[in-house]
Amino acid sequence: MDNVTRDRARGLWEELAGGRFPAAGGARVVETATSRLCPPGWAGIILLGDALLATAPTAEQAALLRAALPDAGAFPAAGELPATETLGPAELAYLAPAD
């Protein structure tokens, strides 16, 4: 994916999440009850390239999610995270505007 398309996709997900991807890759967890990445009360995770953005509705859930995610490198698969229920994963494809 080219940088322009990646940046546009990140901007969309950041708007839905109510937080920003980490600038240099790795993982960032944002505490927000208004994230639109997932159903209300759930944690949401989006991995785009080498950067992961996660949301959690409460400080306690955000702390649990931070402890479960690495700061950088290989991210765990959805089935490897401590969760009672999952919705996904989904794989999305993005095209450049000309395509």
Side-chain angles (χ1 to χ4, degrees), residues 33-87:
T34 60
S35 170
R36 294 179 288 157
L37 287 185
C38 54
W42 287 45
I45 300 172
I46 183 86
L47 174 63
L48 192 56
D50 65 348
L52 184 143
L53 175 60
T55 62
T58 67
E60 181 181 13
Q61 289 169 324
L64 290 171
L65 195 50
R66 283 184 192 100
L69 294 171
D71 290 329
F75 297 108
E80 297 172 359
L81 292 172
T84 56
E85 261 184 278
T86 61
L87 178 63

Side-chain angles (χ1 to χ4, degrees), residues 7-46:
D7 290 346
R8 290 181 67 215
R10 281 187 178 181
L12 168 70
W13 288 111
E14 288 173 344
E15 183 178 327
L16 291 172
R20 299 193 51 93
F21 280 94
R28 174 173 289 147
V29 177
V30 178
E31 178 193 338
T32 174
T34 60
S35 170
R36 294 179 288 157
L37 287 185
C38 54
W42 287 45
I45 300 172
I46 183 86

